[in-house]
Amino acid sequence: MDETTIPASGLKPRISVIGTGYLGATHAAAMAEMGFDVIGVDTDPTKVEALSAGRVPFYEPGLPELIVEHVASGRLRFTSDLADAVATSDVHFICVGTPQRRGSHSANLSYVEAATKAVAEALSHDGLIVGKSTVPVGTAARLRKLVAEAKPEGVEAQVVWNPEFLREAHAVEDTLRPDRIVFGGTDAKSEALLRTVYAEPISTGTPVISCDLATAELVKVSANAFLATKISFINAISELCEVAGADVSVLADALGHDDRIGRKFLNAGLGFGGGCLPKDIRALMYRANELGAGRVVGLMQEVDEINMLQRQRVIDQAIDACGGSVLNRKIAVLGAAFKPDTDDVRDSPALNVAAALHLRGAQVLVMDPEASVTAQRSFPTLSFADTLDEAVTDADVVLLLTEWKIFVTADPEHLAELAANPVVLDARNALDASVWSAAGWEVRPLGGRVVPRQRRVLESAALPA
């Protein structure tokens, strides 16, 4: 890279963020919080208008406040004018989506390719193009060729990769205080520039890993593949625990004390969903198959299948709890999002189970504190409750499918009085079974022993006046 890529001494690089979806909006706001002048670019003028007013089209704790603060400070603005954003910026982060291609497990790279080419064509001075999107290995090398052909003559541009590691519901914190930063394909000048961009987290001890492009591309999908494997492992063990009369939660606690294993992601339950893990492991399988890495394909196939079978296990248990048929039974489904503290319902296990029971003739009523609107768009045939009490009233069985705090900390004695048959299927192993049992509930954890109710609900009602 030419020396002119790095701003004059004492000046911070100006940043453009291409794509203002979940990743891009969060990254743009976090960069502004770190003191940079940031322009977020999106082809959707409605989204640009909303973000400029501090309205975020998804639920992510802390993000709307951060956007409002830095739009007001002048450090953050949003536009549909990519040429203007590129002309006034030095570092260009590519943050567009890579959804699963229709009819295939491969990643749709058309948005990444279009965004990268558009930035290259709009360059008016030397720039650093930084890919953050999750892409199949080999993509960045191809993008380098695309940029070399598309950029104006006399302008220097380099493509490097800096994968994201955001967790939904923790995205702001993960960007401001990441547990690691990966630079792929950098030379001395581009790495120096990226170290300037990430100077704040680096100064607090965040480790930096510099590597080649291919390794950087594989880090995110490999991390997700490992987490998915860990979840599917404990879910496979939970089935053994059920038939053997063991308790998978206690087992997981015991395993977690081994620092080679750790307790995180060892929670047996309904399994993983969302917009990352399922998509990423399938894209990894597809790319590994293309490259002839068959063992990766076989392993991920088994992980994916175990995860999907968890949903059927919960459906079967719900049917069993209703005496062998859910036809005309009222079922309260607590949770629609794929995990708590988000409104993301992509590949949501909770909604998959709810829809399956609805198709079997159950009267399903779903309650979620944040994801009801997005869930209704995806599953318009399902019914949704506004409150927890409404969902549980007259229910023949209650399914805890997303472990929102409002559900886990609810008053079980009050809810037992509302239910027609106080049986709860704890598909996330998040409830204190002894407390719920004492309050009159039969608790059916996934991968554990059924805990019978310790007293009859409303037993005092049978006493004489």
Side-chain angles (χ1 to χ4, degrees):
M1 293 182 68
D2 192 275
E3 289 284 357
T4 56
T5 303
I6 301 179
S9 178
L11 296 178
K12 286 190 172 184
R14 299 160 298 177
I15 293 172
S16 73
V17 175
I18 315 303
T20 60
Y22 184 82
L23 168 61
T26 305
H27 191 68
M31 290 292 105
E33 174 72 3
M34 292 181 192
F36 297 96
D37 289 332
V38 184
I39 305 176
V41 183
D42 204 287
T43 56
D44 183 352
T46 303
K47 188 186 292 184
V48 167
E49 181 182 356
L51 289 169
S52 298
R55 298 192 306 273
V56 179
F58 51 85
Y59 179 72
E60 179 60 36
L63 182 58
E65 296 83 355
L66 206 59
I67 289 176
V68 167
E69 177 184 348
H70 292 299
V71 167
S73 74
R75 287 208 293 266
L76 176 62
R77 66 184 178 93
F78 298 93
T79 182
S80 293
D81 189 342
L82 183 140
D84 174 66
V86 172
T88 55
S89 301
D90 308 295
V91 182
H92 315 282
F93 285 96
I94 306 297
C95 295
V96 297
T98 54
Q100 189 170 312
R101 192 181 297 277
R102 287 184 180 180
S104 169
H105 283 168
S106 63
N108 182 350
L109 299 176
S110 60
Y111 304 107
V112 167
E113 291 166 354
T116 305
K117 183 179 179 182
V119 169
E121 291 174 339
L123 288 171
S124 58
H125 60 280
D126 294 356
L128 181 64
I129 300 174
V130 185
K132 288 201 74 68
S133 304
T134 303
V135 297
V137 62
T139 301
R142 191 169 70 254
L143 291 177
R144 279 188 168 179
K145 295 178 181 178
L146 185 153
V147 168
E149 295 170 356
K151 69 179 181 63
E153 189 175 350
V155 172
E156 293 296 323
Q158 184 175 352
V159 174
V160 298
W161 222 257
N162 167 224
E164 58 91 3
F165 302 104
L166 303 189
R167 298 168 298 162
E168 292 193 45
H170 304 278
V172 172
E173 179 71 15
D174 287 345
T175 307
L176 294 174
R177 285 166 280 278
D179 52 17
R180 78 282 207 194
I181 300 170
V182 175
F183 299 149
T186 53
D187 58 15
K189 293 186 177 67
S190 59
E191 179 158 338
L193 182 52
L194 282 177
R195 284 181 176 272
T196 299
V197 170
Y198 288 106
E200 188 170 313
I202 291 173
S203 70
T204 61
T206 298
V208 175
I209 297 94
S210 294
C211 56
D212 54 79
L213 284 174
T215 302
E217 290 169 313
L218 280 171
V219 171
K220 173 64 183 295
V221 291
S222 298
N224 279 351
F226 182 81
L227 295 177
T229 302
K230 198 171 181 181
I231 294 168
S232 285
F233 167 80
I234 198 63
N235 281 335
I237 292 295
S238 74
E239 184 178 17
L240 176 59
C241 287
E242 280 186 8
V243 298
D247 188 323
V248 72
S249 295
V250 176
L251 174 66
D253 289 340
L255 291 176
H257 285 293
D258 187 330
D259 59 12
R260 297 169 302 173
I261 297 172
R263 184 62 177 83
K264 290 183 178 180
F265 281 75
L266 271 184
N267 294 315
L270 186 49
F272 57 81
C276 288
L277 262 64
K279 172 184 73 74
D280 287 353
I281 66 171
R282 290 164 191 164
L284 178 61
M285 277 192 280
Y286 187 91
R287 185 59 174 148
N289 189 58
E290 285 185 324
L291 297 175
R295 280 180 289 185
V296 172
V297 178
L299 175 61
M300 290 299 101
Q301 181 74 32
E302 188 66 23
V303 166
D304 202 6
E305 287 181 359
I306 290 171
N307 186 60
M308 298 306 293
L309 286 171
Q310 285 300 102
R311 305 176 188 196
Q312 187 59 50
R313 282 182 67 194
V314 173
I315 294 166
D316 291 342
Q317 290 195 15
I319 294 171
D320 180 68
C322 289
S325 173
V326 295
L327 183 64
N328 294 324
R329 296 298 188 97
K330 182 180 177 184
I331 297 179
V333 169
L334 306 187
F338 84 95
K339 72 173 189 176
D341 297 318
T342 180
D343 62 354
D344 192 346
V345 298
R346 289 175 293 175
D347 203 5
S348 166
L351 282 180
N352 184 263
V353 168
L357 293 170
H358 171 74
L359 288 174
R360 286 166 170 78
Q363 300 170 24
V364 178
L365 193 56
V366 182
M367 193 273 164
D368 191 288
E370 291 293 341
S372 289
V373 174
T374 52
Q376 281 180 304
R377 287 199 293 263
S378 300
F379 291 82
T381 59
L382 291 176
S383 298
F384 292 82
D386 294 324
T387 66
L388 178 56
D389 281 9
E390 180 189 353
V392 173
T393 297
D394 297 327
D396 293 298
V397 64
V398 175
L399 274 57
L400 177 61
L401 304 186
T402 310
E403 63 275 32
W404 285 91
K405 185 177 181 180
I406 187 176
F407 303 146
V408 177
T409 62
D411 179 356
E413 191 165 336
H414 168 68
L415 295 179
E417 295 173 353
L418 300 177
N421 182 34
V423 175
V424 59
L425 202 171
D426 183 7
R428 292 296 182 181
N429 289 312
L431 301 179
D432 187 329
S434 62
V435 172
W436 281 67
S437 170
W441 287 87
E442 177 182 298
V443 183
R444 299 189 173 204
L446 203 60
R449 294 183 292 271
V450 173
V451 182
R453 61 178 65 96
Q454 294 181 20
R455 66 176 180 83
R456 291 181 59 193
V457 181
L458 295 178
E459 58 189 3
S460 60
L463 298 177

